Structure formats: structure tokens, C-alpha cells
Amino acid sequence: MHNNPLPILSVRPIRALVDEVFKVIVTNLRPGSPVTLHSLHRSEDQDHWEAFGHYVSSQRGTVSVADDLSFGGTYSGKEPMGLLWSQRPVPGGRRDLRLRKVNVTTPMPFHISVYSGHLTGGFQDQVPLASVLTERWYMAPGVKRVSVKEGNILGTLFIPPGPGPFPGLLDMWGGGGGLVEYRAALLASHGYVTFALSYLSAEQGLLSEKDFESVFNMIKNHPQVIPDKVGIFGLCFGAIITLYLAVESKAVKPTCCVCVSATHCKDHENGSGLNLSLAKLGSNSKVRVDENNHSIWRDITLPIPSDCSRKLDVTKINCPLLLVCGNDDQNVATMEAAEDMAQMIHAAGKDHLLTKLVYPGAGHLIEPPFTPHCRFSRFINPENGHDSTMLWGGHTKPHSDAQEDSWKKILAFLQMHLYSSSCPRARM
């Protein structure tokens, strides 16, 4: 009696960095069979995330996620990485979640499975035809992780493998505060000594300008760092600080800056200097909520002020600047801010220093590629402990495309300005 061979599921590479593309292929299926490819991840908080796509096997009995169309599920069409970027919390779990890696010394495990038929739920009650465990890492083999605590400065230094010296980066996340390491670990995996800085906390508040200068000099003077090749990478609140340091600090002279979802508008009530208040922003009269009671902050800085005293003078920036923004950002008016900054920089004759990336359908949290899109999530203000659900914006497919495209261009920008022997400076 002839037995049909069992389906074989392969994922290659089985272990990879989170920004690498994998290939998922199923063989030994019956020709023309409807099947569902499913991914499952259990986060460090023990929440379950899943994605799935519906496929029909070829006449040879195969399905290739990179080459074949998904006819439904959490994504559709030809999407090689749809099983990752379209992940969402499994129904019935906690709400308002955002998937973020905390311990970067361990991998993110994903169970990839293939099921018979086109399923839309209840995967835990079904027996897969085949299943594979794949690992995604933020830290490449050989990257060193060094905890730093000096005075007010708390952070983690990631050093690439090899003799060095390497370019350096200061990496700052947004207004949620605390120490966030995963992007810094990934940047180190691409050849940059990267310092993930905890610059805002409930215990200490916001670091002083002097503290930021000390951090920058610590990176610059590290024996593994090329001292004249140090950049700053910030998102949201971290991007505002990046712009402030590039504009106002006499001690911080970055080689280049990457600002994701940034604004140059100042809270004029707080006066001059690095004196920013999330608590004040959160109580601003322009904060509104949508029909789901999700907080929308984007109107706080609108309209963009014409009064130059209420904006950072970005014409003072003397290094290459990359602005990344989505046109559905519901947290910061990044599109309007980027356009105003571009006009200011143009008027100063410094167009050669600015690169602006604008992504239709993308929201505020533009992360490394294949990170699941987070349209809204719980946000605890580190200054006053206020707990709300923040609307970040974006739509899953265009936002995910923006993450993939912007990351490639960010890495190319950093390569050009931190690894090349010459980079454009301001014409004096």
C-alpha cells in the first residue's frame, strides 16, 4: 500500500538577526491543497502573538511564502515576511499591547506551522501538518553587552565583534522612558559601538544637558570608537533631544543624526534650554481622544509656529540629518515639522545636509523591520505615572513597508557618514 509522504516545512535561515529575511517553504503537499501558514510567538510577558496566511499548493505540491500569494489571513499577497510583521495578540489575551524585546541576550522564538485548510482561528486546538522553531536575534554572535552606571548616567554599551575601532552611536528611545536596548543591540550587530541611554525615568526625571554631553564624550573617548565618527539616533522624545543637542550644545558635535518621528517645536511655556515636560504635554488642552478613548497628541504643536523663538533653530545644524516620518502619525505632527525644518534648512543654504523620508500610511512607532505594527498601546507617563492608551497611528501593511524601507536607508545613511572617509559638512 502506497503512503503519501509527510509534508516538510523548512525555514531558512533557522537563526537570523531580526532584520534578515527568511524563506518559508512547504513541500510534499498534495497539488492544489489549501493550507494555512501560521506563526506563534510567546513574549517575555507571556503574551501570545500570531499571524497567518492562506495558500494553495502548486502542482508540484509546494508553497513558498516568498514567491506565492496569500489569499487571506492577517496579510495577503506576496509577502515574504508577512508571518512576522502582521503578528497581533492572540484573541482573548491582554489588550493594548506592544511587542518589545527586553532581554536582548536571548532570541525571539517563533513557531512556524502549516495546517490543512484555510483556518482563521483556534490554532491551539488543531494538529499542524508540520512545525518548525526559528530564532530571531537582536544581538549578532560576538557582540559585547556592557552595563554602565556612572553618576546620573545609566545605559548599556554594545560593542561589535572584531578589533575595531568602530563608529559610535548614541541611541535614545521615546517618552516612555527607561532603558530600551533592542535597537542599540541591532545597530551594534551592524558594526556600530552603540550606547542605549536611559535618559528619562520616574526616579530621576530628565537628564541635564551636561549629562547628555558626558554621555556623548564617553562614547567618543571609548578606545573602540573612532572619535570623529559618532552619531546620534533618536525616536520621538529622543529625536527632539537629538535635534536639541545638534542645534544648541557647544560640547556635542555629532557626525550625523537620525531622527524618527521628530519635531523641532518647543514648549514655549517651559522657557529656554533642555527643559521639556511630558506631564505638561499630556495635560495640554489640544490633547484629544478618539471614539475608543485613545489619546491623540499630534495637535499639540499645530499649527507649526512662525515665531522662531518657539522652534529649535535647525539652521544651526552642521552635520547630515536624516528625518523619518509617517503621514498618519497621531502622536507628533512629524509631517508638518519635517516640512518646516526642510524650509528652514533650505533658506539657510544647507539642503545638502538634509535627507527626508516620508511614508504614506505609516504611524509614529517606526521600528526596525518586521516588528509588528502597533497602532495603539498602553502608555505610562514616567513623569506623573498617568496611565492612558496612546494612539500612535499607521496602518499595518504600509507601516510595515515603511519600517523595512526606512531601516535599509538608515543603515545606508549611517554607512555613508560614519564609515566613509569623507562626509558633507556645512559650508561655512
Side-chain angles (χ1 to χ4, degrees), residues 279-298:
K280 266 193 176 178
L281 289 175
S283 61
N284 189 289
S285 61
K286 291 185 179 179
V287 172
R288 55 190 170 91
V289 295
D290 68 3
E291 66 278 6
N292 298 307
N293 205 36
H294 298 160
S295 296
I296 299 170
W297 282 23
R298 75 176 313 275

Side-chain angles (χ1 to χ4, degrees), residues 203-374:
E203 299 75 30
Q204 286 188 301
L206 182 66
L207 291 183
S208 69
E209 185 172 340
K210 187 176 179 183
D211 289 327
F212 284 107
E213 291 171 353
S214 296
V215 170
F216 189 84
N217 286 326
M218 181 192 72
I219 300 168
K220 189 171 82 168
N221 296 327
H222 192 280
Q224 288 288 88
V225 172
I226 305 166
D228 64 345
K229 296 289 186 180
V230 180
I232 311 180
F233 193 140
L235 178 140
C236 185
F237 209 50
I240 296 171
I241 293 169
T242 299
L243 287 172
Y244 176 88
L245 294 172
V247 167
E248 298 290 351
S249 174
K250 292 180 171 56
V252 175
K253 302 296 180 189
T255 309
C256 64
C257 295
V258 176
C259 292
V260 180
S261 303
T263 182
H264 60 320
C265 300
K266 295 191 284 188
D267 179 358
H268 66 286
E269 296 174 2
N270 281 342
S272 60
L274 191 56
N275 186 15
L276 305 163
S277 172
L278 274 177
K280 266 193 176 178
L281 289 175
S283 61
N284 189 289
S285 61
K286 291 185 179 179
V287 172
R288 55 190 170 91
V289 295
D290 68 3
E291 66 278 6
N292 298 307
N293 205 36
H294 298 160
S295 296
I296 299 170
W297 282 23
R298 75 176 313 275
D299 296 340
I300 290 174
T301 55
L302 290 177
I304 302 295
S306 55
D307 180 354
C308 291
S309 69
R310 294 179 58 195
K311 299 184 287 192
L312 288 169
D313 185 2
V314 293
T315 65
K316 292 183 184 176
I317 291 177
N318 288 319
C319 69
L321 170 64
L322 175 62
L323 297 176
V324 181
C325 52
N327 76 351
D328 191 46
D329 190 331
Q330 298 298 316
N331 187 245
V332 175
T334 51
M335 286 278 294
E336 294 87 346
E339 181 56 35
D340 191 67
M341 282 189 270
Q343 290 176 13
M344 293 172 70
I345 289 169
H346 174 74
K350 294 183 176 181
D351 283 338
H352 62 291
L353 292 178
L354 178 63
T355 305
K356 187 175 67 162
L357 302 177
V358 176
Y359 292 99
H364 184 69
L365 300 176
I366 299 177
E367 302 230 43
F370 318 130
T371 304
H373 166 233
C374 177

Side-chain angles (χ1 to χ4, degrees), residues 373-416:
H373 166 233
C374 177
R375 183 167 173 82
F376 55 87
S377 70
R378 186 183 179 206
F379 177 79
I380 300 175
N381 191 316
E383 287 189 354
N384 58 12
H386 182 257
D387 191 345
S388 61
T389 299
M390 196 74 76
L391 184 67
W392 309 112
H395 303 278
T396 300
K397 165 64 174 159
H399 186 92
S400 301
D401 288 347
Q403 292 188 153
E404 186 173 0
D405 185 76
S406 65
W407 185 250
K408 290 175 185 172
K409 288 173 180 171
I410 287 168
L411 291 180
F413 178 85
L414 295 174
Q415 175 80 25
M416 177 185 297

Side-chain angles (χ1 to χ4, degrees), residues 84-105:
L84 294 191
W85 60 251
S86 73
Q87 280 213 324
R88 60 194 187 187
V90 171
R94 292 194 301 152
R95 299 171 53 125
D96 303 342
L97 299 179
R98 178 179 176 190
L99 183 58
R100 306 185 87 182
K101 190 78 175 85
V102 177
N103 181 2
V104 295
T105 66

Side-chain angles (χ1 to χ4, degrees), residues 47-252:
D47 296 300
H48 288 86
W49 293 69
E50 70 177 357
F52 57 93
H54 295 156
Y55 293 87
V56 175
S57 63
S58 70
Q59 289 308 302
R60 293 181 298 153
T62 66
V63 168
S64 168
V65 172
D67 302 308
D68 297 334
L69 297 175
S70 166
F71 296 100
T74 56
Y75 64 97
S76 59
K78 191 185 293 187
E79 295 290 349
M81 302 302 291
L83 287 168
L84 294 191
W85 60 251
S86 73
Q87 280 213 324
R88 60 194 187 187
V90 171
R94 292 194 301 152
R95 299 171 53 125
D96 303 342
L97 299 179
R98 178 179 176 190
L99 183 58
R100 306 185 87 182
K101 190 78 175 85
V102 177
N103 181 2
V104 295
T105 66
T106 62
M108 296 183 76
F110 290 88
H111 291 269
I112 311 295
S113 304
V114 57
Y115 293 86
S116 179
H118 286 165
L119 308 181
T120 58
F123 292 94
Q124 69 276 8
D125 300 324
Q126 305 291 324
V127 177
L129 300 173
S131 191
V132 169
L133 178 65
T134 180
E135 293 180 354
R136 309 285 291 180
W137 291 80
Y138 282 96
M139 274 179 71
V143 171
K144 294 192 189 81
R145 179 186 174 276
V146 182
S147 294
V148 176
K149 178 72 174 81
E150 295 180 11
N152 293 331
I153 298 168
L154 172 67
T156 307
L157 192 67
F158 292 91
I159 304 172
F166 306 96
L169 280 171
L170 169 58
D171 184 42
M172 293 183 287
W173 278 90
L179 182 56
V180 183
E181 297 185 353
Y182 58 93
R183 188 173 63 196
L186 186 57
L187 288 164
S189 300
H190 285 280
Y192 302 92
V193 173
T194 308
F195 188 73
L197 175 64
S198 173
Y199 65 87
L200 177 66
S201 67
E203 299 75 30
Q204 286 188 301
L206 182 66
L207 291 183
S208 69
E209 185 172 340
K210 187 176 179 183
D211 289 327
F212 284 107
E213 291 171 353
S214 296
V215 170
F216 189 84
N217 286 326
M218 181 192 72
I219 300 168
K220 189 171 82 168
N221 296 327
H222 192 280
Q224 288 288 88
V225 172
I226 305 166
D228 64 345
K229 296 289 186 180
V230 180
I232 311 180
F233 193 140
L235 178 140
C236 185
F237 209 50
I240 296 171
I241 293 169
T242 299
L243 287 172
Y244 176 88
L245 294 172
V247 167
E248 298 290 351
S249 174
K250 292 180 171 56
V252 175

